[in-house]
Amino acid sequence: MWKYVFFAYPQDNCELLRQLQNCLSFEIIQIAVQECCEIFGPGNTVIFSNSAGSSDDPSFKEAIDLERSVGIPVLRHGTKKPMGFETISAHFATGTPEQLVMVGDRIFTDVVFGNSNGMLTIKTEPLTTHGDNAAVRLVRELENIFVYVLGVAGVVAPPHILIENKTDAHKKTIMSYTKPR
């Protein structure tokens, strides 16, 4: 059974946070975080960001603001995904990455990070793309094309113990690929 869950949070998250606080999406995020904390336990849901709490946030101001707004811890670390599993492992004090769930919207960082460390990964759509610079938009599109090509070639998500006993239909839903737009 899943014991821990953590979320990747998009870059430029302080600006995103300000935008989301003024829209319905932020309320939905707060409800989702609350549900995760109820299911997994209050200390078992964290944010692992490539901006807030990272070396890009030397005073941890973004991390502190995000923690206050969302209500869950932001891990402090000095690396960028797909590196940094030591931080996650130390926080959860688990030697079993199979019990970890990585939720994120980026394939080359979040999904690669989770899969390469033995976690179950859940790729979401971005909360918003407002404020993404041209490079981020291009990388997102390249990620989608890359995954689509892999899917056409028959490559599937790696098996995971948390879903290995599920029906084929359930597996297909969980491991579905994002098609290019």
Side-chain angles (χ1 to χ4, degrees), residues 10-128:
Q11 281 191 302
D12 304 323
N13 52 20
C14 282
E15 178 58 32
L16 174 64
L17 190 58
R18 283 188 276 281
Q19 294 166 10
L20 291 176
Q21 286 174 329
N22 297 317
C23 69
L24 178 62
S25 296
F26 190 72
E27 184 178 321
I28 293 168
I29 292 167
Q30 288 178 313
I31 291 168
V33 167
Q34 181 181 356
E35 288 177 0
C36 283
C37 290
E38 288 171 6
I39 292 168
F40 298 105
N44 295 330
T45 304
V46 300
I47 294 171
F48 187 66
S49 171
N50 269 354
S51 50
S54 76
S55 55
D56 287 353
D57 184 17
S59 66
F60 301 125
K61 181 183 179 336
E62 288 184 40
I64 292 166
D65 290 346
L66 191 54
E67 287 171 334
R68 286 184 185 143
S69 295
V70 179
I72 58 175
V74 174
L75 295 185
R76 276 49 168 189
H77 57 96
T79 59
K80 301 257 185 190
K81 293 176 298 227
M83 307 305 290
F85 181 71
E86 316 76 44
T87 303
I88 299 294
S89 184
H91 175 80
F92 290 119
T94 178
T96 56
E98 298 83 20
Q99 294 178 315
L100 298 172
V101 180
M102 174 67 186
V103 178
D105 67 350
R106 299 296 305 274
I107 295 164
F108 292 160
T109 55
D110 307 328
V111 173
V112 168
F113 175 75
N115 286 347
S116 65
N117 288 292
M119 296 175 264
L120 178 64
T121 58
I122 299 172
K123 187 212 175 271
T124 65
E125 291 300 314
L127 297 171
T128 180

